[in-house]
Each structure stands twice: as structure tokens, then as C-alpha cells.
Amino acid sequence: MKIYGSQNKRKGQYQIIIEMLLVLVGIMIAGYTFSLFTDVKTGANTIAVRDSFTVIADQVVNGVVKASATPNSIQRIRIPGKIAETSYKITLDGARNVVNVTSLGTGGITVTKQIFNIGQPNRIRNSEVSGSSLVVEVVSEAGEIRIRRGNWTS
């Protein structure tokens, strides 16, 4: 009869081991699902930030082109303070004739747009503005075009 008693004890041990393995598999599936959704969220956030940076860069390029066509003028552009909780800066690079919009946080997202169709006497001066300014002024004076922090006046 001892044989039957030891077999019953082993059945209980096997059942506990199987239940522990089942719980472990459930935890692994939950962890995988969580990491999958985190990766999807991060990817979607990066795409949204990059698209928004592209729009801002296009607006600044348009402001530069308008300012080059109108000497001694100021073009005002409204911009968001942050995009998806990401701070950024806008840079005019006169040596390469480009506008850069770069994130200041982790991730290092940068969008670069080439500036075309500006008048020959105009020269782009290297300048930089933080995205927190909410208004960027593209200033054309004395043959130079630069950007600066601005105030919105109607």
C-alpha cells in the first residue's frame, strides 16, 4: 500500500510543477505583449515627431524664401513649443543653405531641408532658435537673412 501512497504524493508534485510552468508561460506572454506595445508606441512617436519637424522646417524654408524676396522684412511663423513632449531647436546653416530641426532630448531626431530660390544678394547667416519660443521671425536686413525668437503681433 505504500506504493499507492507515494504515487499520490507524486501526482500532487507534478500538478504543482505544471501549474508553476503555466504561470511562468503566462508571465512570459504578458511581458512579450507589453514590450511589443512599447516598441509600437515608440515607433509611432518617432514618426509623428519626424513628420512634425518636417512641417516646421518647410515653414521656415518658406519664410526664408519670402524674406529673400522682400528686403528689410520680417516673416513671423507660429510653431509649437514641444512636439510629443520633445523639445527642439531650429538652426539656419548659411554654409550649406539648410534648415535643421533637431530634438534636444534622447533619440536624436534631425530633419534637414535645403533652401532653394533665394535671391543672389541675400546671404543666410548662421542662427538658432529654441522651439519653446512659439514664434520664429525670419529677418531680412542689409542683405542677410537670419532667424530669431519673436513675438506675435497681429
Side-chain angles (χ1 to χ4, degrees), residues 40-70:
V40 168
K41 179 185 171 200
T42 302
N45 188 32
T46 301
I47 291 169
V49 169
R50 187 175 305 280
D51 288 346
S52 297
F53 282 2
T54 300
V55 170
I56 291 170
D58 286 338
Q59 289 176 334
V60 173
V61 167
N62 290 338
V64 169
V65 171
K66 286 181 183 178
S68 72
T70 311

Side-chain angles (χ1 to χ4, degrees), residues 87-120:
S87 299
Y88 61 96
K89 68 178 178 179
I90 303 168
T91 308
L92 271 183
D93 184 349
R96 299 184 312 149
N97 279 352
V98 296
V99 173
N100 292 316
V101 181
T102 306
S103 65
L104 297 177
T106 58
I109 300 171
T110 300
V111 171
T112 302
K113 287 288 184 173
Q114 188 72 40
I115 302 171
F116 296 104
N117 300 327
I118 60 170
Q120 188 61 26

Side-chain angles (χ1 to χ4, degrees), residues 70-88:
T70 311
N72 298 321
S73 66
I74 297 175
Q75 305 295 321
R76 290 183 178 85
I77 304 164
R78 287 187 193 213
I79 58 170
K82 285 186 175 183
I83 296 176
E85 299 303 318
T86 302
S87 299
Y88 61 96

